[in-house]
Amino acid sequence: NRLTYSLGFTHLNVMRGVDGNDDNRSNGGQAFVRYALTEKTRVSGRFYGAKDFLMSNIAPATTGVPVANFPATGVVPLIPLPRNQVLNLQNGRPVVYGNATIVPGRDDPDNRRSSTFSTTGLRLEHQFTPSVGIQANYQYLSTNRVFANGPGGIGFQPAATNITNPSGSIQNVDLRLSARASRYYSLTAGYEFEHELFDTFQDNNLPGNARILVNGRTTQKANAIFAANQFNLLGDRLLISLSGRMQDFRLATPRFQAQGIRNVYDGLNVPSPPRAWTGDISIAYLIPKTNTKLRGHAGNAYRAPALFERFGGGFFNNAATGNVNFTPYGDPLLQSDRYNTYAFGFDQYVW
């Protein structure tokens, strides 16, 4: 029983889909292995990844719907055009709109999305004594997505295939020590390092001065230390948990190259997320005479914005002007999320 392993695969293939251009393919796999080097030392690794592809339809729109179908004031009711009339529209036949206020997604033969992701983890565990052990973890996560839309299809379509390709990765190293000093007290403490990378690429593939090309890279590093203490007191009737964490962030200067559009990040002072201090305390007390447990908790939490939330972008087909515009989705000055939480309650054991 020194070696434990598992392995699995998945495959999905939708050949045509509802309208004949709804292909959908997915291939993935996962694996896990753990080996006991000695009675006190174990190593393990895991992998999970997938590669996916699908074809998308045109987003629902009101284009072509008679103006008389919309009320002059108030809320517009959502009434979809019947499926048989959508097929007439796609095939260039006469369309009876009736009282419809929106045209559902229509076929778009060259609108496609593909993605790949993989996550790999490694772990080393060593138990010095039954009450003292260490653990070292490494994890790597990689994602890549491609959105491509060409001139095929009806309605407003780009003159050439425009491409949006965001990708990124996160590497994480975690070192921790766990010790139970006595039956009354235990401690877990450690250090964590994280490296985040975001790459962005957009190209509308139009000729000459109409071409919009954006290429950028952003990285961020974070270091954290943490500790958690647990106390069992008064004959295990009183349980106290106290933990804390400090995380420091360092954002590298974003690098962007832009053609055909002003670089919106030029000259912008992009700060690193502020240092995060978080803590948590939980208390539980058992009254044996009535079999009642009282408990309370207070803590705070923090989430730094992902790099895509700050520097992501893509293309927007502007039906009003007929242009393909590059749109920054992210906000470089986006602040971090902060939360405070409090909870109080009781458990009453009846039998």
Side-chain angles (χ1 to χ4, degrees):
N1 291 327
R2 295 175 63 185
L3 176 65
T4 303
Y5 69 92
S6 66
L7 189 66
F9 299 96
T10 179
H11 172 69
L12 168 72
N13 193 352
V14 177
M15 305 295 289
R16 294 184 304 165
V18 175
D19 56 35
N21 289 306
D22 291 335
D23 298 13
N24 179 7
R25 294 190 296 274
S26 179
N27 296 283
Q30 57 187 36
F32 171 81
V33 61
R34 181 175 60 219
Y35 183 69
L37 297 173
T38 68
E39 291 185 355
K40 297 183 177 181
T41 305
R42 296 190 303 178
V43 294
S44 59
R46 59 172 174 78
F47 170 83
Y48 181 35
K51 182 177 180 61
D52 303 293
F53 169 85
L54 64 88
M55 299 185 68
S56 301
N57 285 339
I58 300 171
T62 59
T63 306
V65 177
V67 176
N69 287 14
F70 303 104
T73 59
V75 177
V76 178
L78 182 64
I79 304 174
L81 185 68
R83 177 66 184 167
N84 62 338
Q85 298 303 313
V86 174
L87 293 176
N88 287 344
L89 182 63
Q90 291 182 175
N91 295 312
R93 296 191 293 262
V95 178
V96 178
Y97 284 93
N99 62 347
T101 57
I102 193 167
V103 179
R106 292 161 289 173
D107 184 31
D108 192 344
D110 57 3
N111 186 359
R112 58 194 62 202
R113 304 179 184 184
S114 62
S115 66
T116 58
F117 89 91
S118 64
T119 173
T120 304
L122 301 172
R123 173 175 293 179
L124 171 65
E125 301 169 275
H126 180 74
Q127 201 72 24
F128 293 102
T129 69
S131 57
V132 178
I134 60 171
Q135 187 180 111
N137 301 284
Y138 170 78
Q139 177 171 283
Y140 178 74
L141 169 68
S142 175
T143 65
N144 182 76
R145 285 174 285 178
V146 178
F147 302 85
N149 188 20
I154 63 176
F156 176 70
Q157 297 289 332
T161 300
N162 58 56
I163 296 174
T164 297
N165 177 207
S167 61
S169 65
I170 296 179
Q171 297 186 72
N172 183 283
V173 176
D174 179 295
L175 306 172
R176 62 180 63 199
L177 167 71
S178 298
R180 188 166 186 85
S182 68
R183 67 181 300 268
Y184 307 107
Y185 173 70
S186 61
L187 167 71
T188 300
Y191 163 78
E192 183 183 46
F193 170 78
E194 184 177 272
H195 180 273
E196 183 179 2
L197 164 69
F198 173 63
D199 282 332
T200 179
F201 176 80
Q202 290 94 22
D203 190 350
N204 66 358
N205 284 310
L206 293 179
N209 295 331
R211 188 177 187 186
I212 298 176
L213 178 64
V214 179
N215 202 349
R217 166 166 287 198
T218 313
T219 60
Q220 180 172 276
K221 298 178 181 179
N223 294 273
I225 55 175
F226 57 89
N229 303 270
Q230 290 187 321
F231 303 87
N232 294 16
L233 306 172
L234 303 179
D236 291 338
R237 296 196 309 273
L238 178 63
L239 284 75
I240 301 175
S241 175
L242 181 65
S243 61
R245 176 184 175 95
M246 187 280 292
Q247 188 169 10
D248 188 72
F249 301 88
R250 289 293 180 267
L251 176 69
T253 301
R255 294 179 294 171
F256 282 89
Q257 296 176 334
Q259 174 183 330
I261 189 173
R262 185 178 66 87
N263 186 349
V264 295
Y265 304 115
D266 278 345
L268 184 64
N269 181 20
V270 182
S272 299
R275 180 174 295 171
W277 296 86
T278 53
D280 189 283
I281 181 171
S282 298
I283 300 176
Y285 181 72
L286 177 66
I287 305 174
K289 187 175 181 179
T290 59
N291 277 335
T292 304
K293 182 168 67 175
L294 307 176
R295 45 188 171 79
H297 162 261
N300 68 323
Y302 179 101
R303 189 186 76 88
L307 294 182
F308 178 79
E309 294 176 303
R310 301 183 73 180
F311 302 103
F315 285 113
F316 169 67
N317 295 334
N318 192 329
T321 63
N323 296 327
V324 178
N325 305 123
F326 170 70
T327 303
Y329 298 152
D331 178 0
L333 304 181
L334 185 65
Q335 298 296 307
S336 302
D337 295 342
R338 298 177 182 271
Y339 310 88
N340 295 309
T341 178
Y342 310 94
F344 305 95
F346 71 93
D347 299 336
Q348 179 61 55
Y349 298 90
V350 182
W351 294 286

